[in-house]
Amino acid sequence: MERVIVEKINSHLELNNLISDHQHGFRKNRSTISQLVVIHDYIQSALDRGIPMDIILIYLLKARDRLPLRKLIHCLEVHGIKGKLKIGSQHT
């Protein structure tokens, strides 16, 4: 059931262009490895051109682990994800 819900939410976000193209985690045909490849290429390109660079890494926890449920539901509703899940339908 969780996989069905995730697929519905991801489909909604993709169809409505609510996910940045820079997002790699939890996306079809993308992963943390593909993100690392993009970052590596970006850094290598800058170094090849002699551009100085600082890197700041930020570890973000999963929203469901830290965000109160009411706020999470509100965020989902703001982005058009609300109501009852309709299994077998194209709508979330």
Side-chain angles (χ1 to χ4, degrees), residues 24-81:
H24 282 250
F26 309 106
R27 291 190 71 188
K28 193 173 193 170
N29 301 319
R30 295 189 186 192
S31 66
T32 53
I33 300 298
S34 64
Q35 180 69 63
L36 287 172
V37 169
V38 169
I39 291 171
H40 175 270
D41 290 347
Y42 179 81
I43 293 169
Q44 189 63 54
S45 175
L47 292 174
D48 289 346
R49 291 179 286 148
I51 298 172
M53 180 179 298
D54 292 323
I55 299 173
I56 299 172
L57 301 174
I58 301 172
Y59 175 73
L60 301 174
L61 297 174
K62 296 176 197 171
R64 68 176 184 223
D65 294 342
R66 296 291 179 174
L67 188 65
L69 183 57
R70 287 181 194 223
K71 286 187 179 183
L72 179 57
I73 291 171
H74 175 73
C75 289
L76 291 171
E77 289 175 344
V78 165
H79 289 93
I81 301 169

Side-chain angles (χ1 to χ4, degrees), residues 1-14:
M1 180 61 102
E2 183 178 336
R3 184 171 39 140
V4 172
I5 295 169
V6 169
E7 288 174 5
K8 293 275 188 185
I9 290 173
N10 284 340
S11 175
H12 173 80
L13 296 174
E14 292 278 351

